Structures are given as structure tokens and as C-alpha cells.
Amino acid sequence: MATRPRRADAQRNYDLLLAAAAQVFSERGTEAPLDEVARRAGVGNATMYRHFPTRSDLLVAAYADEVARLCARGQALLATDSPAEALHEWLRLFMAHITAKRDLALAATDGQSTDLVAEWHQSMLTTASALLDAAKQAHAVRADLDVRDLLALIKGIALTAADVAQAERLLTLIDWRSGTSAHPPPGAGAGR
């Protein structure tokens, strides 16, 4: 079901709320008072809750531009880099995004499933799938790699690493390439 376009004043309020939310969350974290977001946007709380019924809705919308840029970067990498390097670079960017936005990643997946959260996850999954499929077609990665497993692994690294530097080091321990490295693939010799 398609949503109706917003009236001009409603769109202005929506945009003001997003700008204020990004600023407030950046300064005070994802648990910052939502009243502060509404105050900085210059709108009432009722207006904010009409646009964003839950904190998760507001969090995801506030960072939607970053998600869109990350997905666009994935498409650009598909067109310009080798498939294996494109996949690795995008996963590194995905990991850095989650590491830098750890509170957002946890808050956006706090069990409150919303359309915005589902849309965000689907766009990431679609981008990662395209990159992984290209790498598989080039025989640059293991054929048995599953995109959901790969994203879960990267998210796990991002959420548990002490900082971006450790996350980067942990990522280098993973070798999912197909015959292009001296290192054995993950699980080799583990008695599958």
C-alpha cells in the first residue's frame, strides 16, 4: 500500500525532526530525551509522535541517509572493483558503520519491529547479496557462503569489538576467499 505524500508543512516538520534527532543523538546518545528532539526541531511532542511513534522509528529515520549512502557505495563498488575486493570493502564499511553507531544498531533492533527497521535491514541485505553473488560468480569466495551468516558475523564483530581498530583486526582473521589465500578457509580441518 503506497503512502500519500506529506503536505508541505508536514514534510518541513519531518525534516526538522530528523535534523534535530541526528544532532541530539550525536551529542547525547540514543537514549537522549525525545522531548529535546522536539524542542530543537521547534515542534510539539504530538507532532513528533505523529511522525515517529517509537524511539526506534526516529532512530532509524535519523540515520536512513547513512544507510542509503552505504548501500549506494555497495552499488558503486560492484561497478568499479574486483568482486572479492568490492565485497570485502563493503563489509568493512558496514562493520565500521555498526561499530560507530553501536547504540543505534542495538536500539533499532530492540524487538520493536517497524516498517522502517524492516526497510533498513532489507536494503542492507539486498546490497550484501548483490556483492556476495558477484564474488561467487567470479569464483572469488567460497560457494557455500550465506549472506545472512556473513552479515551476522560482521555485526557480531562490530558489536563486540572494543573499538574500530580491534574490529578491523578481527575482520582480517576471516578468510572467505576461494583459493586465493594461503590461509585455510574458516572451518577447514574442524571435522565438519
Side-chain angles (χ1 to χ4, degrees):
M1 181 167 131
T3 58
R4 294 186 327 200
R6 292 184 184 93
R7 296 184 331 246
D9 61 332
Q11 184 64 50
R12 180 183 55 79
N13 288 341
Y14 182 89
D15 294 340
L16 288 169
L17 283 162
L18 287 182
Q23 184 180 41
V24 170
F25 293 150
S26 175
E27 292 170 6
R28 300 179 66 181
T30 59
E31 291 301 316
L34 296 184
D35 291 349
E36 177 65 12
V37 173
R39 187 189 66 72
R40 287 203 200 176
V43 302
N45 286 355
T47 298
M48 179 178 63
Y49 286 112
R50 250 191 324 274
H51 288 289
F52 306 104
T54 69
R55 180 179 295 272
S56 289
D57 289 333
L58 183 57
L59 284 166
V60 172
Y63 292 103
D65 286 346
E66 289 184 35
V67 171
R69 282 193 300 273
L70 185 57
C71 291
R73 181 68 179 131
Q75 292 304 313
L77 285 167
L78 271 173
T80 61
D81 292 321
S82 75
E85 292 307 315
L87 175 64
H88 188 268
E89 174 64 11
W90 189 83
L91 289 173
R92 190 188 65 72
L93 293 169
F94 175 69
M95 183 184 66
H97 171 77
I98 293 173
T99 303
K101 303 285 190 274
R102 187 179 316 225
D103 291 343
L104 169 65
L106 292 171
T109 57
D110 65 1
Q112 297 182 25
S113 182
T114 66
D115 291 343
L116 289 171
V117 172
E119 192 176 306
W120 185 13
H121 286 278
Q122 186 58 48
S123 65
M124 293 292 198
L125 182 63
T126 299
T127 300
S129 293
L131 288 158
L132 180 58
D133 289 347
K136 283 181 178 181
Q137 288 174 1
H139 303 288
V141 298
R142 295 176 36 204
D144 64 341
L145 286 179
D146 176 82
V147 69
R148 291 179 193 276
D149 293 344
L150 194 54
L151 290 178
L153 178 64
I154 300 304
K155 184 176 178 182
I157 290 172
L159 293 177
T160 59
D163 54 31
V164 175
Q166 184 185 33
E168 291 279 348
R169 286 192 308 275
L170 291 172
L171 184 61
T172 65
L173 297 176
I174 302 168
D175 184 4
W176 50 69
R177 298 175 197 190
S178 173
T180 59
S181 173
H183 299 82
R192 286 191 211 192

